Amino acid sequence: MEQDPGFIAAVEEAKQGAAEGGVPIGACLVSKDGKILGRGHNMRVQKGSPVLHAEMSALENSGRLPASAYEGATMYTTLSPCDMCTGACILYKIKRVIVGENKNFVGGEELLISKGKELVILDNQECKDMMAKFIKEKPEPW
Amino acid sequence: MEQDPGFIAAVEEAKQGAAEGGVPIGACLVSKDGKILGRGHNMRVQKGSPVLHAEMSALENSGRLPASAYEGATMYTTLSPCDMCTGACILYKIKRVIVGENKNFVGGEELLISKGKELVILDNQECKDMMAKFIKEKPEPW
């Protein structure tokens, strides 16, 4: 799954966020037939946004879609999704959540599982390193 | 509570959303000392946004705040909050959620209660009427 285009895109987004001086978390929403619907990264620093976490940016950048577009979809994200992003995945009936790592933060994983979502933790070294570096260097926005 | 400035603002926001041809749901975030931090309405139609529900707009319009700003805060919303907005209230450790009505939709109320939030359902007639009218006239965006 670390070679999935959706995961590669999520990591690229995290790097883009880091390059912008922001929180290095990226996400990508992929339809059941493998089409990238939207991708994005955390915009807390860049836009002063409390709602545009990576997963939310990916959803927002997907635009307004019919409910059917989310059926069987996968959300790739570089970090374990927080309670808000967990709720968004539940609202839109996203089927699978593929998480880069959950060593630096653990979000609503139990709720996702209780709602029948497939949850995969990749324990990806690059994701862990990016987040650890950010938390060490910029503890305030994190 | 129906006379609280936060609830009055939420209803005004819902009406503004209706006037814009959008989903008539409004919200307002109020600090523990009664200051309005942000208010907003659902922007699904206006911005084609899947994430800017009323509660999310109120959070977004509050800007980036320190965690302490949300302590003891109240989220007023005209309709029972969906799973995403429920998760956002949990993420930001909002203390109370005051809901205009839950006859037209019931969201993550059980989760809010399980997380120790104070939840009040006002069963407000104006909120019920606005939402029922919208669902009847415009079933598609709803």
Side-chain angles (χ1 to χ4, degrees):
Chain A
M1 288 174 181
E2 289 173 277
Q3 297 310 314
D4 287 2
F7 185 67
I8 291 169
V11 173
E12 286 173 356
E13 288 289 335
K15 289 179 184 171
Q16 179 63 32
E20 293 166 5
V23 186
I25 308 172
C28 183
L29 180 65
V30 175
S31 72
K32 67 178 170 191
D33 55 357
K35 184 185 164 200
I36 289 182
L37 299 172
R39 49 189 281 179
H41 51 272
N42 184 299
M43 299 298 281
R44 186 185 303 189
V45 173
Q46 296 91 321
K47 287 192 175 177
S49 173
V51 308
L52 288 177
H53 284 190
E55 300 89 331
M56 307 297 282
S57 288
L59 282 164
E60 185 73 350
N61 293 337
S62 301
R64 186 178 153 197
L65 301 171
S68 59
Y70 302 98
E71 276 169 21
T74 297
M75 178 67 84
Y76 293 87
T77 177
T78 58
L79 184 68
S80 182
C82 79
D83 290 314
M84 174 175 68
C85 297
T86 293
C89 289
I90 294 167
L91 172 67
Y92 284 109
K93 299 185 167 58
I94 287 163
K95 186 182 178 187
R96 292 197 309 169
V97 182
I98 313 289
V99 173
E101 64 110 345
N102 66 356
K103 289 290 186 293
N104 287 294
F105 175 78
V106 180
E109 297 179 5
E110 286 185 19
L111 185 61
L112 285 171
I113 292 167
S114 78
K115 294 285 185 180
K117 307 300 176 195
E118 290 177 36
L119 178 70
V120 179
I121 312 294
L122 296 175
D123 199 38
N124 178 273
Q125 193 62 46
E126 189 173 18
C127 292
K128 284 191 282 189
D129 290 347
M130 263 193 295
M131 204 62 217
K133 181 172 185 284
F134 179 78
I135 292 170
K136 188 178 175 190
E137 293 178 358
K138 299 183 183 177
E140 186 275 317
W142 172 246
Chain B
M1 289 175 179
E2 288 172 282
Q3 297 310 314
D4 288 1
F7 185 67
I8 291 169
V11 173
E12 285 173 357
E13 288 289 334
K15 288 179 185 172
Q16 179 62 32
E20 293 166 5
V23 185
I25 307 173
C28 182
L29 181 64
V30 175
S31 72
K32 67 179 170 190
D33 54 357
K35 184 185 165 202
I36 289 180
L37 299 172
R39 49 188 282 179
H41 51 271
N42 184 297
M43 299 300 280
R44 185 185 305 189
V45 173
Q46 296 92 320
K47 287 192 175 175
S49 173
V51 308
L52 288 177
H53 284 189
E55 299 89 332
M56 307 297 282
S57 289
L59 283 163
E60 184 74 349
N61 293 336
S62 302
R64 185 178 153 197
L65 300 172
S68 59
Y70 302 99
E71 277 170 21
T74 298
M75 178 68 83
Y76 292 88
T77 176
T78 59
L79 185 67
S80 182
C82 79
D83 290 314
M84 173 175 68
C85 297
T86 293
C89 290
I90 294 167
L91 172 67
Y92 285 108
K93 298 185 168 58
I94 287 164
K95 185 182 178 189
R96 292 197 309 168
V97 182
I98 313 287
V99 174
E101 64 109 348
N102 66 357
K103 289 291 186 295
N104 287 294
F105 175 77
V106 180
E109 296 178 5
E110 286 184 18
L111 185 61
L112 286 171
I113 292 168
S114 78
K115 295 285 185 181
K117 307 300 177 195
E118 291 176 36
L119 178 70
V120 179
I121 312 294
L122 297 174
D123 199 39
N124 177 273
Q125 193 63 46
E126 190 174 16
C127 291
K128 285 190 283 189
D129 290 348
M130 263 193 297
M131 203 63 215
K133 180 171 184 284
F134 179 78
I135 292 171
K136 188 178 174 188
E137 293 177 356
K138 298 182 180 176
E140 187 274 317
W142 171 245

